[in-house]
CSV table of all heavy atoms in Angstrom, one decimal:
chain,number,residue,atom,x,y,z
A,85,PHE,N,111.1,110.3,118.1
A,85,PHE,CA,110.9,109.1,118.7
A,85,PHE,C,111.9,108.9,119.9
A,85,PHE,O,111.5,108.5,121.1
A,85,PHE,CB,111.0,107.9,117.7
A,85,PHE,CG,110.7,106.7,118.3
A,85,PHE,CD1,109.4,106.1,118.2
A,85,PHE,CD2,111.6,105.9,119.0
A,85,PHE,CE1,109.0,104.8,118.7
A,85,PHE,CE2,111.3,104.6,119.5
A,85,PHE,CZ,110.0,104.1,119.4
A,86,LEU,N,113.2,109.1,119.6
A,86,LEU,CA,114.2,109.0,120.6
A,86,LEU,C,114.1,109.9,121.8
A,86,LEU,O,114.3,109.6,123.0
A,86,LEU,CB,115.6,109.1,119.9
A,86,LEU,CG,116.0,108.1,118.9
A,86,LEU,CD1,117.3,108.4,118.2
A,86,LEU,CD2,116.1,106.7,119.5
A,87,VAL,N,113.7,111.2,121.4
A,87,VAL,CA,113.5,112.2,122.5
A,87,VAL,C,112.3,111.8,123.4
A,87,VAL,O,112.4,111.8,124.6
A,87,VAL,CB,113.3,113.5,121.9
A,87,VAL,CG1,112.9,114.6,123.1
A,87,VAL,CG2,114.7,114.0,121.3
A,88,ILE,N,111.1,111.5,122.8
A,88,ILE,CA,109.9,111.2,123.6
A,88,ILE,C,110.0,110.0,124.4
A,88,ILE,O,109.5,109.9,125.4
A,88,ILE,CB,108.8,111.2,122.6
A,88,ILE,CG1,108.5,112.6,121.9
A,88,ILE,CG2,107.5,110.8,123.3
A,88,ILE,CD1,107.4,112.6,120.9
A,89,THR,N,110.7,108.9,123.9
A,89,THR,CA,110.9,107.7,124.6
A,89,THR,C,112.1,107.8,125.6
A,89,THR,O,112.5,106.8,126.2
A,89,THR,CB,111.0,106.5,123.7
A,89,THR,OG1,112.1,106.6,122.8
A,89,THR,CG2,109.7,106.3,122.9
A,90,ALA,N,112.7,109.0,125.6
A,90,ALA,CA,113.8,109.3,126.5
A,90,ALA,C,115.0,108.2,126.3
A,90,ALA,O,115.8,107.8,127.2
A,90,ALA,CB,113.4,109.1,128.0
A,91,GLY,N,115.1,107.8,125.1
A,91,GLY,CA,116.2,107.0,124.7
A,91,GLY,C,116.1,105.6,125.2
A,91,GLY,O,117.1,104.8,125.3
A,92,ARG,N,115.0,105.1,125.7
A,92,ARG,CA,114.8,103.8,126.3
A,92,ARG,C,114.5,102.7,125.2
A,92,ARG,O,114.7,101.5,125.4
A,92,ARG,CB,113.8,103.8,127.3
A,92,ARG,CG,114.0,104.7,128.5
A,92,ARG,CD,115.2,104.2,129.3
A,92,ARG,NE,115.3,104.8,130.6
A,92,ARG,CZ,115.8,105.9,130.9
A,92,ARG,NH1,116.4,106.7,129.9
A,92,ARG,NH2,116.0,106.4,132.1
A,93,VAL,N,113.9,103.2,124.0
A,93,VAL,CA,113.4,102.3,123.0
A,93,VAL,C,114.3,102.5,121.7
A,93,VAL,O,114.0,103.4,121.0
A,93,VAL,CB,111.9,102.4,122.7
A,93,VAL,CG1,111.4,101.3,121.7
A,93,VAL,CG2,111.1,102.3,124.0
A,94,PRO,N,115.2,101.7,121.4
A,94,PRO,CA,115.9,101.8,120.1
A,94,PRO,C,115.1,101.5,118.9
A,94,PRO,O,114.6,100.3,118.8
A,94,PRO,CB,117.1,100.9,120.3
A,94,PRO,CG,116.5,99.8,121.2
A,94,PRO,CD,115.6,100.4,122.1
A,95,SER,N,114.8,102.4,118.0
A,95,SER,CA,114.0,102.1,116.8
A,95,SER,C,114.3,103.2,115.8
A,95,SER,O,114.5,104.4,116.1
A,95,SER,CB,112.5,102.1,117.2
A,95,SER,OG,111.7,101.6,116.1
A,96,TYR,N,114.1,102.9,114.5
A,96,TYR,CA,114.1,103.8,113.5
A,96,TYR,C,112.7,103.9,112.8
A,96,TYR,O,112.1,102.9,112.6
A,96,TYR,CB,115.1,103.4,112.4
A,96,TYR,CG,115.4,104.4,111.3
A,96,TYR,CD1,116.4,105.5,111.5
A,96,TYR,CD2,114.5,104.6,110.2
A,96,TYR,CE1,116.6,106.4,110.7
A,96,TYR,CE2,114.8,105.7,109.3
A,96,TYR,CZ,115.7,106.6,109.6
A,96,TYR,OH,115.9,107.6,108.7
A,97,LEU,N,112.3,105.1,112.6
A,97,LEU,CA,111.0,105.3,112.0
A,97,LEU,C,111.1,105.5,110.5
A,97,LEU,O,111.6,106.6,110.1
A,97,LEU,CB,110.3,106.5,112.6
A,97,LEU,CG,110.0,106.4,114.1
A,97,LEU,CD1,109.0,107.6,114.5
A,97,LEU,CD2,109.2,105.0,114.4
A,98,GLY,N,110.8,104.5,109.7
A,98,GLY,CA,110.9,104.7,108.3
A,98,GLY,C,109.5,104.7,107.6
A,98,GLY,O,108.5,104.7,108.3
A,99,SER,N,109.4,104.7,106.4
A,99,SER,CA,108.1,104.8,105.6
A,99,SER,C,107.3,103.5,105.9
A,99,SER,O,107.8,102.4,105.7
A,99,SER,CB,108.4,105.0,104.2
A,99,SER,OG,109.2,106.0,103.8
A,100,SER,N,106.1,103.7,106.1
A,100,SER,CA,105.2,102.6,106.4
A,100,SER,C,104.5,102.1,105.1
A,100,SER,O,103.9,102.9,104.4
A,100,SER,CB,104.1,102.9,107.4
A,100,SER,OG,103.1,101.9,107.5
A,101,PHE,N,104.6,100.8,104.8
A,101,PHE,CA,103.9,100.3,103.6
A,101,PHE,C,102.4,100.3,103.7
A,101,PHE,O,101.7,100.2,102.8
A,101,PHE,CB,104.5,98.9,103.3
A,101,PHE,CG,105.8,98.9,102.6
A,101,PHE,CD1,106.9,98.8,103.5
A,101,PHE,CD2,106.0,98.9,101.3
A,101,PHE,CE1,108.2,98.8,102.8
A,101,PHE,CE2,107.3,99.0,100.8
A,101,PHE,CZ,108.4,98.9,101.5
A,102,ALA,N,102.0,100.4,104.9
A,102,ALA,CA,100.5,100.3,105.2
A,102,ALA,C,99.9,101.5,104.6
A,102,ALA,O,98.6,101.6,104.4
A,102,ALA,CB,100.2,100.3,106.7
A,103,PHE,N,100.6,102.7,104.4
A,103,PHE,CA,100.1,103.9,103.8
A,103,PHE,C,100.1,103.9,102.3
A,103,PHE,O,99.4,104.8,101.7
A,103,PHE,CB,100.9,105.1,104.3
A,103,PHE,CG,100.6,105.5,105.7
A,103,PHE,CD1,101.4,105.1,106.7
A,103,PHE,CD2,99.6,106.4,105.9
A,103,PHE,CE1,101.2,105.6,108.0
A,103,PHE,CE2,99.3,106.8,107.1
A,103,PHE,CZ,100.0,106.5,108.3
A,104,ILE,N,100.6,102.9,101.6
A,104,ILE,CA,100.7,103.0,100.2
A,104,ILE,C,99.3,103.0,99.5
A,104,ILE,O,99.0,103.8,98.6
A,104,ILE,CB,101.6,101.8,99.6
A,104,ILE,CG1,103.0,102.0,100.1
A,104,ILE,CG2,101.5,101.7,98.1
A,104,ILE,CD1,103.9,100.8,99.7
A,105,ALA,N,98.5,102.0,99.9
A,105,ALA,CA,97.2,102.0,99.3
A,105,ALA,C,96.3,103.2,99.5
A,105,ALA,O,95.8,103.8,98.5
A,105,ALA,CB,96.4,100.7,99.8
A,106,PRO,N,96.2,103.7,100.7
A,106,PRO,CA,95.4,104.9,100.9
A,106,PRO,C,96.0,106.1,100.2
A,106,PRO,O,95.3,107.0,99.7
A,106,PRO,CB,95.3,105.1,102.5
A,106,PRO,CG,96.3,104.2,103.1
A,106,PRO,CD,96.5,103.1,102.0
A,107,ILE,N,97.4,106.2,100.2
A,107,ILE,CA,97.9,107.4,99.6
A,107,ILE,C,97.7,107.4,98.1
A,107,ILE,O,97.3,108.4,97.5
A,107,ILE,CB,99.5,107.4,99.9
A,107,ILE,CG1,99.8,107.9,101.3
A,107,ILE,CG2,100.1,108.3,98.9
A,107,ILE,CD1,101.2,107.9,101.7
A,108,SER,N,97.9,106.1,97.6
A,108,SER,CA,97.6,106.1,96.0
A,108,SER,C,96.2,106.4,95.7
A,108,SER,O,95.9,107.1,94.8
A,108,SER,CB,98.0,104.6,95.6
A,108,SER,OG,99.4,104.3,95.9
A,109,ALA,N,95.3,105.9,96.4
A,109,ALA,CA,93.8,106.1,96.1
A,109,ALA,C,93.5,107.6,96.4
A,109,ALA,O,92.7,108.1,95.5
A,109,ALA,CB,92.9,105.2,97.0
A,110,SER,N,94.0,108.1,97.4
A,110,SER,CA,93.6,109.5,97.7
A,110,SER,C,94.3,110.5,96.8
A,110,SER,O,93.7,111.6,96.4
A,110,SER,CB,93.9,109.9,99.1
A,110,SER,OG,95.3,109.7,99.5
A,111,THR,N,95.5,110.2,96.3
A,111,THR,CA,96.2,111.1,95.3
A,111,THR,C,95.4,111.0,94.0
A,111,THR,O,95.3,112.1,93.4
A,111,THR,CB,97.6,110.6,95.1
A,111,THR,OG1,98.3,110.5,96.3
A,111,THR,CG2,98.3,111.4,94.1
A,112,ASN,N,94.9,109.9,93.6
A,112,ASN,CA,94.1,110.0,92.4
A,112,ASN,C,92.9,110.8,92.5
A,112,ASN,O,92.4,111.3,91.4
A,112,ASN,CB,93.7,108.5,92.0
A,112,ASN,CG,94.9,107.6,91.6
A,112,ASN,OD1,96.0,108.1,91.2
A,112,ASN,ND2,94.8,106.3,91.9
A,113,GLN,N,92.3,110.8,93.6
A,113,GLN,CA,91.1,111.6,93.8
A,113,GLN,C,91.2,113.1,94.3
A,113,GLN,O,90.6,114.0,93.7
A,113,GLN,CB,90.2,110.9,94.8
A,113,GLN,CG,88.8,111.5,95.0
A,113,GLN,CD,87.9,110.6,96.0
A,113,GLN,OE1,88.4,109.6,96.6
A,113,GLN,NE2,86.7,110.9,96.0
A,114,TYR,N,92.2,113.3,95.1
A,114,TYR,CA,92.4,114.7,95.7
A,114,TYR,C,93.8,115.3,95.4
A,114,TYR,O,94.1,116.4,95.8
A,114,TYR,CB,92.1,114.7,97.1
A,114,TYR,CG,90.6,114.4,97.5
A,114,TYR,CD1,90.3,113.2,98.0
A,114,TYR,CD2,89.6,115.3,97.3
A,114,TYR,CE1,89.0,112.8,98.3
A,114,TYR,CE2,88.3,115.1,97.6
A,114,TYR,CZ,88.0,113.8,98.1
A,114,TYR,OH,86.6,113.5,98.4
Side-chain angles (χ1 to χ4, degrees):
F85 184 95
L86 294 171
V87 170
I88 294 174
T89 59
R92 297 298 194 274
V93 185
S95 189
Y96 191 91
L97 295 189
S99 305
S100 170
F101 284 90
F103 280 98
I104 292 177
I107 286 177
S108 299
S110 55
T111 299
N112 292 335
Q113 190 172 4
Y114 295 104

